[in-house]
Amino acid sequence: MNHGASGSLVWTAKVLTLFPEMFPGPLGLSLAGKALENGVWALESVDIRSFARDKHRSVDDTPFGGGAGMVMRPDVLDAALTATAGPPGTPGRGRAIYLSPRGRVLDQELVKELAATPVVTLLCGRYEGVDERVLDAHGLEEVSLGDFVLSGGETAALCLIDAVVRLLPGVMGNVETAGEESFERGLLEYPHYTRPAVWTDGQGVERSVPDILLSGHHEKVRAWRLAEAERITQARRPDLWNRYEAGKKAEGQIGKRGRRRGPKPE
Ligand code: SAH
């Protein structure tokens, strides 16, 4: 079991893969790497091939019905999933996910849900994918990274874990940063600027930062950033923008109802 310094269970990712050497990979560096070292989260990579039982250690076979490619065998995956869950009384496999282009598309809402789940088991497919029966038998949830096809679930699992780990308490230095970021308010983020205040680009064009950011006027800066976030979201992501507007409208209505009943709560 993976326990933190305080004795409580730390967020644990159990990854079932044919390429365990891909983990922690990039998650062993920077913020996630430091947090892993400090025991803020834990990683168990499970080599699916070690559950193969025939003399060739085969994990895949040709698809029934014909067609190209290979399919990962249900008996091998079943053994790997069952072993990963561990005996009763242990934290088990928690939320069990098969990374798959057919799944619910990963978004910040799901990332937050997963950050609040102590154990997440991630099955990484290869080849054409996995035998459908093992998904049914184990009730695996399918999660996709987006509408494109990867060669394996490992890079998707790395992205998912990265997004979760940065939300765990103590991983990000500045807690405020997380609250303002893209998607947190249903908006894309406003533009950032740092020194130098005037920068000359390769074509000799002097580029300065918006004056308002140098004004020291916090309220005006906040309003400017919100307006920029709204402008960018409306221009680039009509889907997010429509949801944001609907949310604001609903909030307005709740506000009005609240006012009729009595003084506005703080
Ligand atoms: N034949 C499948 C694609 C298999 S790609 C299809 O057409 O749907 C091989 C593996 O990569 C999959 O089993 C899955 O685990 C992973 N994968 C591919 N695309 C992915 C995506 N968009 N999100 C998450 N995992 C993906």
Side-chain angles (χ1 to χ4, degrees), residues 98-102 123-130 143-153 156:
Y98 167 48
L99 280 318
S100 148
R102 299 189 313 194
L123 171 61
C124 304
R126 281 274 155 180
Y127 320 117
E128 288 310 311
V130 308
V143 172
S144 169
L145 218 59
D147 293 342
F148 47 84
V149 182
L150 297 165
S151 54

Side-chain angles (χ1 to χ4, degrees), residues 15-246:
V15 182
L16 285 82
T17 168
L18 289 173
F19 299 97
E21 59 276 34
M22 285 178 74
F23 295 87
L27 298 177
L29 304 169
S30 191
L31 286 180
K34 223 162 263 152
L36 183 60
E37 219 169 87
N38 294 338
V40 176
W41 67 288
L43 175 71
E44 290 174 24
S45 40
V46 177
D47 185 359
I48 295 171
R49 197 171 297 279
S50 69
F51 294 90
R53 285 290 156 257
D54 65 358
K55 66 173 193 287
H56 301 296
R57 312 228 98 189
S58 56
V59 294
D60 57 325
D61 211 326
T62 53
F64 282 123
M70 300 295 272
V71 176
M72 292 173 81
R73 292 170 54 126
D75 51 348
V76 177
L77 291 174
D78 173 63
L81 281 161
T82 304
T84 306
T90 60
R93 65 179 196 191
R95 212 155 147 176
I97 290 171
Y98 167 48
L99 280 318
S100 148
R102 299 189 313 194
R104 165 179 171 186
V105 177
L106 185 68
D107 60 11
Q108 196 63 14
E109 207 176 295
L110 181 52
V111 169
K112 278 192 206 160
E113 270 176 41
L114 296 175
T117 309
V119 180
V120 174
T121 294
L122 301 169
L123 171 61
C124 304
R126 281 274 155 180
Y127 320 117
E128 288 310 311
V130 308
D131 187 303
E132 190 76 16
R133 291 168 295 176
V134 84
L135 302 177
D136 297 338
H138 283 269
L140 295 183
E141 224 180 296
E142 294 184 47
V143 172
S144 169
L145 218 59
D147 293 342
F148 47 84
V149 182
L150 297 165
S151 54
E154 287 79 6
T155 44
L158 288 168
C159 289
L160 183 153
I161 298 170
D162 180 309
V164 169
V165 164
R166 61 192 290 290
L167 294 187
L168 300 176
V171 175
M172 298 263 293
N174 185 354
V175 184
E176 295 245 324
T177 318
E180 291 246 314
E181 268 167 348
S182 290
F183 310 117
E184 281 301 321
R185 292 171 303 179
L187 291 172
L188 300 176
E189 205 181 35
Y190 53 78
H192 295 290
Y193 299 90
T194 187
R195 269 178 278 279
V198 180
W199 165 66
T200 308
D201 73 14
Q203 274 71 48
V205 178
E206 282 193 351
R207 296 175 179 270
S208 30
V209 311
D211 288 339
I212 190 91
L213 299 180
L214 308 175
S215 71
H217 197 300
H218 296 303
E219 194 44 45
K220 279 190 185 155
V221 168
R222 202 196 58 75
W224 179 85
R225 285 179 167 165
L226 178 61
E228 282 294 283
E230 290 184 340
R231 179 184 64 77
I232 290 169
T233 307
Q234 188 171 19
R236 300 186 189 179
R237 291 290 300 274
D239 57 326
L240 291 180
W241 179 249
N242 289 339
R243 220 181 314 154
Y244 174 74
E245 283 217 305

